Amino acid sequence: MSDSAPQQLLHLVIGGELLDLEHNTFKNLDDVEVVGLYPNYASAHVAWRAKAQSTVDNAQMRYFIVHLHRLLDPTQETKAR
């Protein structure tokens, strides 16, 4: 990768209905929605906010931002410091 290319910090936005409000356990994994894959946190946050606001009437629905870049390169956070 060249030094001029922007760094990709991949983020995944997923969501679905939870069993209860105490845990992050989905009610049915077959119904988990993959909203999308995003190159940075800012764009993932925009997508997350739109989905979360569209389901505000269902207290059991939750959407999450998964920091895929941390899973792909666990040492990345240390490198950034």
Side-chain angles (χ1 to χ4, degrees), residues 15-54:
E17 194 166 359
L18 301 180
L19 283 174
D20 59 57
L21 298 177
E22 301 295 317
H23 305 92
N24 292 334
T25 305
F26 291 108
K27 188 174 189 177
N28 183 349
L29 287 177
D30 291 333
D31 293 335
V32 172
E33 178 183 5
V34 176
V35 178
L37 184 64
Y38 301 91
N40 55 53
Y41 181 82
S43 56
H45 189 263
V46 169
W48 167 83
R49 181 179 298 278
K51 291 304 290 187
Q53 287 179 341
S54 73

Side-chain angles (χ1 to χ4, degrees), residues 10 67-77:
L10 296 176
H67 299 264
L68 289 181
H69 62 96
R70 292 181 185 167
L71 297 174
L72 295 171
D73 184 3
T75 63
Q76 187 173 37
E77 208 173 324

Side-chain angles (χ1 to χ4, degrees), residues 52-67:
Q53 287 179 341
S54 73
T55 61
V56 72
D57 291 336
N58 182 349
Q60 301 293 102
M61 281 298 264
R62 290 289 192 274
Y63 286 87
F64 302 91
I65 298 175
V66 180
H67 299 264

